[in-house]
Amino acid sequence: MKTPLSWITEYVDVPDHVSTDELTARLTLTGLKLEGIHSPGAAITGPLVVGRVLTMEPEPQKNGKTINWCTVDVADANGTGEPQGIVCGAHNFAPGDLVVVVLPGGVLPGGFEISARKTYGHVSSGMICSAAELGLGDDHDGIIVLPADAGKPGEDVRPLLGLDEEIIEFEINPDRAYALSLRGIAREVLVSVDGASGFRDPALRDTPAANDQGHPVVVEDPTGCPVFVARTVTGFDPTSPTPDFIAQRLTAAGMRPISLAVDVTNYVMLETGRPIHGYDADALQGPIVVRRARAGERLTTLDGTARTLSDEDLVVTDDSGIIGLGGVMGGESTEMSATTTRVLVEAAHWDATSMFRTGRRHKITSEAGKRNERGVDATICEAAADRVVELLTTYGGGQVDPGVTVVGTPPQMPTITVAGDRAARVSGLDISEERAVEALRAVGCEVTGTGTLEVTPPPWRPDLTDPQDTTEEVIRLVGYDTIPSVLPKAPGGRGLTRTQLLRRRIGRTMAGAGYVEVVTFPFVGDHDLDALGLPADDPRRTTLRLSNPLSSEAPGMTTTLLPALLRTAGKNVGLGTTSVAIFEAAPVTLPRATEPAPILPVDRRPTDAELDALTKALPDQPLHLGVVATGEAEAAGWWGDGRAVSWSDAVDAVQVVAEALGLDLTSRPADTAPWHPGRCAALLLGDVLVGHAGELHPRVCAAFGLPPRSVAAEVDLDVMLEHAVHLRPSPTFSSYPVAKEDVALVVDETVAAADVEAALREGAGPLLESIRLFDVYTGEQVGEGKKSLAFALRFRAPDRTLKEGESSAARDAAVRVAAERTGAVQR
Amino acid sequence: MSGPNTEYDPVQVTPLDADQVEAMREAAVAAIAAASDLESLKAVRLEHVGDRSPLALANREIGALPPQARKDAGQRIGQARGAVNKALAERQVQLEAEHEERMLVEETVDVTLPTDRARRGSRHPITLQSELIADIFVAMGWEIAEGPVVEAEWLNFDALNLGPDHPARTMQDTFWTEPADHHVVLRTQTSPVQARTMLTRTPPIYVACPGRVFRTDEYDATHSPMFHQVEGLVVDEGITMAHLKGSLDHLASQLFGDGIDTRFRPSYFPFTEPSAEVDVRCFVCRGVDSDSCRTCRGEGWIEWGGCGVVNPRVLVACGVDPETYSGFAFGMGIDRSFMFRHNLEDLRPLFEGDVRFSSAFGSEI
Ligand SMILES: [Zn+2]
């Protein structure tokens, strides 16, 4: 809400010593937040004066234009008293007119510096200004011609045009709709600023009594439209200009002046907060009827949009059909135009909820709708309509029709019962009941009782419905800045949960392993899933879709962290970071067939069954860990070559996390997109699949702009966290000598090393301390289709030194089992 | 190798002659001294101390002598061998020390060479900022509560006094999921976690809820469809706005420095009533001579978040008795807090994933 300061002080007296900064600081502290103070002339510097045009010589130019060579009297403002020679392209003035002149040395908005310059064969010493050039709107139709009595040549023109006016912009909270008016702002000044006095309510006026000579109005839905007031002006001159003070104030408020009739309705809305609608009365056919629309009825609103209505929309109709969406937007057929001479003024009170729903349903935001849906004073319809007809006839001529239509009565304000000490108990301040009552009366409430107060809010405060609402009124007027600072004493907490601690550990482990954490958006589209090479029936293709995604390219909630991580890695490579290792731990969304989430009552705690239904309606959202690496795992340097990342780095990234959680993960060969079918490991916790890791499919690398042999992993961290070892037992180990045995086993290339190792482990028996695969060899010596796996076995007994031959016997037993299970042959 | 020669006359056994023994000793000692490295000392040892060295051979002749002469010769040769062994040992130590010293000099490297063979990892600054904030609350005895990102409409709105026709719903641009009649949204705030906490626990409740939230904002320098929030909730007997102010002042001073406090301005949130905007004192200029301060743009204060006394309607919907308990709640942006704490003007680097950004923060902010 923007308003000139002078408009506020029209309704309330502020002591001279209170500066604008102090005034707005006080209002900010009580709830009208200052957004900014603007001055329309702030961007204008230097001499800007009244000039009287003495002569003007039209001079046609070769380019077809005609310019005027003028001499203008600016008195002593130019230092000489001689007339000023100025070239002007506009034609909407004549000798003798008073105009606005910026002299050389002046600067106009946009940093436009004025100097004497040669143009069209003259030296033009300054400029005659249009409103647009001064930043006063976008009217380019010529220069400003001041009223004949505006001032004397040479006088500073700023005060005349309101250029020095301070325009204050407030941010109005949704519960303070009354402050979307000068009436409300002035009242806030009265209660907030020390010494402010003399409030003059613009909605307090004597209005003529209702009679039956007005335009007939029938309200069929008094809940939706409790009050409807209609007044009529006849003989109105539609060509009458809008007076400057109205145009300037509307412009300051950010509304474009359109025509006198429209401008007056907007002006009165700003003044009183009551939205007004004007009809071309000659276009009305028969009585006005207010009712709910029937579903499917249509209306073209005055923004030119044809709308299909719902049976919840409140409409204004006449014999021709629907002529307006009540309280939201008028219709095209009865719109006031340049030929309207009979104006019907509607000031009606509408049900706020209905206004909100209609505005949202039809996606209409308007100044009127903004006020109607937040709540307006229902008692001022007659005053507002009366003010409109007064302004229309004052500036547009014509007569006020004696007919006064008033249908309905304003709804009663509720009475709120609240403890007299509630504000003190809530704020922690020492607020006496007397102080509380005083504050409530200051904002317009009627208060009775002691100990327990009966509070009736004023009609302009429909936001006050509950004890907490009146409590806020008291505390804000006492002052939020007086609330003391007291740290509450929490009972001993349990600290971070185990899962929270483990998640931090996972992050640190990944960073320690050389991975950089990134945060990506969880939105995904088919394009991303195609790029991953997911088959048509892959469950990851089933995403929870958003009704209103930011991008139609990514309308779903992602089921996998990999597309965003691969894109991020590709972007880094594109930026010249050729070795990238990144990770993210974030939830993914896995839809499941569900019932809708119920909308539960709010006047009681939901039952456990109702809460259960809420939970069951949500998709699974497991926490995933995604990892992508490309380039070198170890850099080349003076020490020698680097080491390119390989599938094993991806598996190991998951393994280090598993170790941090005390888990033993096993790997199995897998063929899953987006991985290389021969270089993908399924990672298992016992029988439970945790995720996959390995080298990416070459097509996937290409799709994401990554070099071949980039690697990735994705695992379900929730599963891993659930199995994380909580209490780890202390290890025991033998101090007797170790016996080492190496074996090299030749197996078919397709045999998994993990299977050979498992067989060895089982065959070696209880003396085996550890086993480690230390070499894999393929080549002529082992034959086509074969590989040799070299294992180092360590044997040790817990209680004695092994006897000669014991370890070799255990080794042989191990090899036998490996041979049986995997066809291994010892080299 | 010859056995004892019983036919020899002892005086005629030249090697056992005193002068001869002395000469052997001197020759050995001289050779030891002359050995310039461990290799040549090894040769000297073979020649003068080994089994075939003159002193060893002489020693072997002793048995052939008559008892008296045997004793003299034995003593003589024993002394000589002792002296040689001692010289040898000393020279050995000396040469080893010289060798080590030379070796250490030769092995000198340029220790200024780069050492960064292994990749360096780092954590995301927003994760670190969230953890830092969580730690401040945990230190106050609060707990950290969490909830799902895809959330039931009722928990995100209705339970928080944001009914379907509440004008404030239009303040929050919500991502809705399909089908619309399933009433599931991307949470627009972490407040549903507060509702969940009240629904599942009994007071006293002291929790903070950090997490991701979503709004349909176009992505630009100051808006992101996804960002991070932390909210606090206290429900206990006798809780007042003074406790709210105390908690926020404490958080501000822990996060931005000693003496940094907050101020309240009246505001409106459906979840709370009374409600307030929270400004935090600018930690750069501290509100003194703010005019040239870029962090607070001359205000002396920085807009930080919203807060208030939990609306009794919310307590009722969440199963808390408003006659017995009262509470306060607050919320602020983690990204925003990070941005002004670390002088970041454009939030997009937080979500772009350029590894140079996260790497700059390492594992501490
Ligand atoms: Zn500052």
Side-chain angles (χ1 to χ4, degrees):
Chain A
M1 174 82 189
K2 287 192 278 188
T3 169
L5 177 61
S6 63
W7 200 2
I8 300 173
T9 53
E10 202 172 298
Y11 309 110
V12 64
D13 299 327
V14 178
D16 289 342
H17 64 81
V18 177
S19 69
T20 309
D21 283 347
E22 283 171 56
L23 177 85
T24 52
R26 266 315 293 169
L27 289 171
T28 297
L29 271 179
T30 52
L32 289 194
K33 193 199 164 206
L34 176 69
E35 272 290 293
I37 302 176
H38 318 280
S39 179
I44 304 172
T45 58
L48 186 74
V49 299
V50 178
R52 185 181 301 283
V53 180
L54 301 175
T55 63
M56 58 188 290
E57 300 289 336
E59 295 182 0
Q61 302 296 315
K62 284 194 213 99
N63 62 10
K65 272 171 73 173
T66 300
I67 59 103
N68 288 303
W69 170 240
C70 308
T71 56
V72 183
D73 174 16
V74 294
D76 289 336
N78 56 8
T80 66
E82 295 296 315
Q84 196 79 355
I86 300 175
V87 169
C88 183
H91 303 276
N92 64 325
F93 62 104
D97 281 350
L98 292 182
V99 295
V100 178
V101 178
V102 56
L103 296 170
V107 180
L108 296 185
F112 182 36
E113 291 179 30
I114 305 300
S115 57
R117 62 190 185 104
K118 281 194 99 155
T119 180
Y120 297 111
H122 299 281
V123 174
S124 181
S125 302
M127 195 167 94
I128 303 176
C129 301
S130 70
E133 283 156 350
L134 296 177
L136 297 175
D138 47 11
D139 181 6
H140 285 269
D141 293 346
I143 54 121
I144 298 172
V145 178
L146 296 168
D149 58 353
K152 291 194 172 64
E155 279 180 3
D156 189 351
V157 87
R158 284 179 178 78
L160 302 178
L161 295 178
L163 288 174
D164 291 333
E165 182 76 86
E166 286 174 304
I167 294 170
I168 304 174
E169 181 172 6
F170 297 106
E171 183 188 308
I172 308 292
N173 290 318
D175 61 334
R176 300 198 182 283
Y178 67 96
L180 291 169
S181 69
L182 270 298
R183 181 186 189 222
I185 291 172
R187 203 187 298 274
E188 279 298 298
V189 171
L190 180 73
V191 299
S192 304
V193 178
D194 281 345
S197 62
F199 175 67
R200 295 170 289 281
D201 185 349
L204 189 65
R205 52 191 292 130
D206 289 330
T207 54
N211 55 44
D212 54 9
Q213 296 151 48
H215 193 94
V217 173
V218 178
V219 175
E220 291 182 355
D221 188 334
T223 314
C225 179
V227 183
F228 195 111
V229 172
R231 299 285 298 274
T232 306
V233 167
T234 56
F236 176 75
D237 175 4
T239 65
S240 309
T242 300
D244 284 348
F245 79 96
I246 289 181
Q248 281 173 22
R249 285 174 171 180
L250 290 179
T251 304
M255 301 178 80
R256 210 159 57 87
I258 294 164
S259 67
L260 176 61
V262 173
D263 295 347
V264 162
T265 59
N266 285 333
Y267 185 81
V268 173
M269 175 180 72
L270 291 174
E271 193 177 50
T272 63
R274 163 56 62 200
I276 308 284
H277 188 67
Y279 299 85
D280 183 337
D282 287 330
L284 288 171
Q285 301 173 23
I288 285 176
V289 177
V290 178
R291 60 167 170 86
R292 299 276 171 180
R294 286 179 281 278
E297 282 187 302
R298 294 179 65 83
L299 166 71
T300 300
T301 42
L302 49 75
D303 59 357
T305 308
R307 302 177 188 275
T308 304
L309 305 180
S310 143
D311 58 6
E312 290 190 351
D313 291 329
L314 282 161
V315 291
V316 180
T317 67
D318 68 1
D319 290 350
S320 73
I322 298 176
I323 57 172
L325 263 178
V328 177
M329 192 176 273
E332 221 171 27
S333 64
T334 55
E335 187 181 359
M336 292 187 294
S337 71
T339 58
T340 301
T341 58
R342 283 183 68 230
V343 178
L344 183 130
V345 175
E346 165 209 304
H349 187 70
W350 305 92
D351 172 57
T353 300
S354 186
M355 294 297 100
F356 174 73
R357 288 185 184 173
T358 294
R360 194 171 57 166
R361 184 176 303 118
H362 297 289
K363 298 188 170 60
I364 299 173
T365 52
S366 65
E367 291 292 331
K370 192 161 89 182
R371 288 165 176 80
N372 280 330
E373 73 187 28
R374 293 177 193 204
V376 185
D377 187 339
T379 64
I380 61 168
C381 294
E382 288 168 76
D386 194 57
R387 174 72 167 144
V388 171
V389 299
E390 174 194 50
L391 289 171
L392 284 178
T393 50
T394 304
Y395 298 103
Q399 303 81 40
V400 178
D401 189 276
V404 177
T405 304
V406 178
V407 177
T409 50
Q412 279 293 311
M413 296 306 287
T415 294
I416 304 164
T417 304
V418 57
D421 64 348
R422 193 175 190 281
R425 277 191 284 118
V426 166
S427 64
L429 284 166
D430 184 16
I431 302 173
S432 69
E433 187 171 308
E434 292 70 37
R435 179 72 186 90
V437 170
E438 180 196 12
L440 289 171
R441 289 191 175 135
V443 298
C445 295
E446 283 172 27
V447 187
T448 59
T450 51
T452 300
L453 307 179
E454 301 290 328
V455 182
T456 307
W460 60 88
R461 292 301 303 269
D463 59 300
L464 303 181
T465 57
D466 289 3
Q468 52 267 35
D469 300 325
T470 63
T471 300
E472 181 178 72
E473 290 303 300
V474 174
I475 299 173
R476 79 179 177 97
L477 289 190
V478 170
Y480 276 20
D481 51 338
T482 62
I483 295 170
S485 184
V486 179
L487 198 58
K489 274 266 175 290
R494 63 181 174 195
L496 294 176
T497 64
R498 198 173 121 67
T499 302
Q500 288 164 348
L501 289 169
L502 289 178
R503 284 208 308 263
R504 289 188 178 193
R505 188 191 295 170
I506 290 167
R508 286 195 208 106
T509 300
M510 287 304 292
Y515 290 85
V516 175
E517 187 178 18
V518 297
V519 172
T520 65
F521 295 152
F523 308 121
V524 77
D526 287 341
H527 175 79
D528 300 303
L529 301 171
D530 292 344
L532 286 188
L534 301 189
D537 60 350
D538 192 299
R540 285 170 290 178
R541 282 197 176 272
T542 308
T543 61
L544 179 72
R545 294 179 73 89
L546 299 172
S547 316
N548 53 340
L550 276 189
S551 158
S552 56
E553 297 280 291
M557 292 299 287
T558 198
T559 51
T560 158
L561 300 177
L562 291 180
L565 286 176
L566 291 169
R567 216 166 29 238
T568 301
K571 203 156 55 179
N572 277 285
V573 170
L575 286 167
T577 309
T578 48
S579 288
V580 182
I582 53 176
F583 78 100
E584 179 172 26
V588 297
T589 305
L590 308 179
R592 52 183 174 181
T594 60
E595 295 294 309
I599 297 296
L600 302 174
V602 293
D603 55 356
R604 58 164 174 85
R605 183 190 188 276
T607 64
D608 288 345
E610 286 170 333
L611 285 178
D612 200 38
L614 278 188
T615 304
K616 284 200 177 124
L618 299 180
D620 279 333
Q621 299 172 62
L623 184 69
H624 274 202
L625 172 69
V627 178
V628 169
T630 187
E632 289 177 321
E634 217 173 87
W638 56 267
W639 49 76
D641 289 343
R643 185 177 69 74
V645 297
S646 87
W647 63 270
S648 66
D649 291 300
V651 175
D652 201 52
V654 180
Q655 287 290 2
V656 296
V657 168
E659 282 162 28
L661 302 178
L663 298 174
D664 252 338
L665 282 189
T666 53
S667 304
R668 302 301 316 163
D671 177 4
T672 304
W675 285 277
H676 185 308
R679 298 185 172 189
C680 173
L683 299 165
L684 297 114
L685 204 55
D687 295 336
V688 181
L689 179 67
V690 166
H692 294 88
E695 184 178 312
L696 289 162
H697 196 289
R699 282 202 298 267
V700 173
C701 293
F704 285 97
L706 287 168
R709 311 231 175 275
S710 298
V711 304
E714 181 165 25
V715 293
D716 184 331
L717 279 183
D718 276 351
V719 172
M720 292 177 74
L721 287 165
E722 185 189 326
H723 290 85
V725 177
H726 188 18
L727 287 171
R728 303 194 200 193
S730 297
T732 55
F733 25 68
S734 166
S735 303
Y736 290 91
V738 66
K740 300 177 186 174
E741 301 280 347
D742 288 356
V743 291
L745 299 176
V746 176
V747 292
D748 280 351
E749 246 168 12
T750 54
V751 172
D755 291 343
V756 180
E757 185 187 309
L760 285 172
R761 194 180 285 280
E762 192 183 321
L767 293 178
L768 184 73
E769 180 179 84
S770 70
I771 184 168
R772 175 175 169 76
L773 187 154
F774 67 91
D775 194 25
V776 179
Y777 172 80
T778 54
E780 278 178 26
Q781 290 181 36
V782 294
E784 183 95 349
K786 300 278 187 184
K787 63 185 172 187
S788 166
L789 305 173
F791 292 92
L793 287 67
R794 292 163 66 93
F795 293 95
R796 202 175 337 223
D799 52 350
R800 61 190 171 85
T801 302
L802 291 182
K803 291 194 283 285
E804 184 80 30
E806 261 188 300
S807 64
S808 55
R811 176 202 63 202
D812 293 344
V815 170
R816 266 197 306 280
V817 175
E820 278 166 26
R821 297 261 179 88
T822 68
V825 176
Q826 191 167 8
R827 274 176 83 193
Chain B
M1 197 173 291
S2 58
N5 189 342
T6 48
E7 285 167 52
Y8 270 18
D9 174 3
V11 279
Q12 289 177 337
V13 181
T14 345
L16 298 177
D17 174 67
D19 293 346
Q20 287 284 356
V21 170
E22 179 62 16
M24 281 184 254
R25 187 184 71 88
E26 280 175 7
V29 169
I32 286 165
S36 63
D37 54 27
L38 290 167
E39 200 57 32
S40 46
L41 188 65
K42 203 172 169 186
V44 169
R45 180 196 300 270
L46 267 182
E47 194 180 333
H48 294 281
V49 187
D51 287 349
R52 306 194 66 85
S53 63
L55 278 170
L57 291 174
N59 193 46
R60 225 176 281 166
E61 305 298 332
I62 292 172
L65 296 178
Q68 183 55 44
R70 199 183 292 168
K71 186 185 172 200
D72 287 353
Q75 210 165 22
R76 221 161 29 240
I77 290 176
Q79 278 171 357
R81 294 182 87 184
V84 170
N85 277 333
K86 182 164 178 268
L88 187 69
E90 283 170 3
R91 187 62 179 152
Q92 177 78 25
V93 168
Q94 197 177 6
L95 287 176
E96 274 176 5
E98 280 174 20
H99 171 76
E100 187 185 62
E101 197 172 331
R102 204 166 47 246
M103 195 181 70
L104 291 175
V105 169
E106 283 167 4
E107 288 176 357
T108 300
V109 295
D110 178 359
V111 297
T112 68
L113 289 170
T115 60
D116 53 345
R117 264 184 239 210
R119 288 179 312 220
R120 302 296 196 262
S122 61
R123 305 188 66 211
H124 195 274
I126 290 303
T127 312
L128 297 170
Q129 178 79 79
S130 301
E131 291 180 0
L132 185 61
I133 291 171
D135 287 344
I136 293 168
F137 287 114
V138 167
M140 289 160 66
W142 298 29
E143 292 170 11
I144 305 302
E146 291 160 323
V149 161
V150 181
E151 183 60 284
E153 177 184 353
W154 187 82
L155 281 163
N156 193 71
F157 290 123
D158 303 67
L160 305 173
N161 193 32
L162 267 153
D165 295 316
H166 205 295
R169 271 205 189 187
T170 57
M171 288 160 66
Q172 294 183 340
D173 303 307
T174 309
F175 282 110
W176 295 86
T177 69
E178 287 180 355
D181 60 7
H182 271 216
H183 304 296
V184 171
V185 302
L186 304 194
R187 69 180 183 196
T188 58
Q189 47 196 352
T190 49
S191 317
V193 182
Q194 302 189 28
R196 284 173 173 276
T197 304
M198 286 187 273
L199 285 163
T200 52
R201 297 172 63 165
T202 49
I205 291 170
Y206 289 78
V207 294
C209 325
R212 300 176 156 196
V213 299
F214 295 84
R215 307 263 172 100
T216 56
D217 285 328
E218 287 294 336
Y219 186 44
D220 63 24
T222 53
H223 297 87
S224 170
M226 179 181 91
F227 56 100
H228 300 81
Q229 245 190 4
V230 60
E231 296 191 7
L233 171 72
V234 166
V235 180
D236 204 344
E237 290 179 39
I239 289 297
T240 71
M241 289 179 87
H243 294 128
L244 169 60
K245 179 83 164 55
S247 301
L248 288 168
D249 282 346
H250 183 75
L251 178 64
S253 67
Q254 293 298 301
L255 209 49
F256 300 109
D258 278 350
I260 298 303
D261 56 358
T262 61
R263 75 170 181 191
F264 288 177
R265 287 180 284 111
S267 188
Y268 172 75
F269 308 105
F271 185 75
T272 52
E273 174 106 45
S275 300
E277 299 276 349
V278 194
D279 298 337
V280 63
R281 187 180 296 279
C282 176
F283 60 96
V284 175
C285 67
R286 293 182 169 253
V288 179
D289 295 333
S290 307
D291 285 351
S292 58
C293 181
R294 289 187 50 203
T295 302
C296 62
R297 295 195 166 76
E299 298 284 322
W301 296 88
I302 301 163
E303 287 186 30
W304 199 22
C307 68
V309 174
V310 179
N311 194 312
R313 289 171 185 261
V314 175
L315 295 179
V316 167
C318 295
V320 175
D321 177 8
E323 298 301 318
T324 310
Y325 296 105
S326 57
F328 67 73
F330 57 83
M332 60 262 313
I334 295 176
D335 319 72
R336 200 178 135 67
S337 299
F338 173 84
M339 284 171 74
F340 57 74
R341 192 169 180 264
H342 295 268
N343 223 349
L344 178 68
E345 303 220 329
D346 184 332
L347 65 71
R348 282 171 290 195
L350 295 172
F351 304 109
E352 296 286 290
D354 189 326
V355 294
R356 293 171 297 177
F357 185 75
S358 285
S359 297
F361 296 94
S363 282
E364 193 48 64
I365 54 170

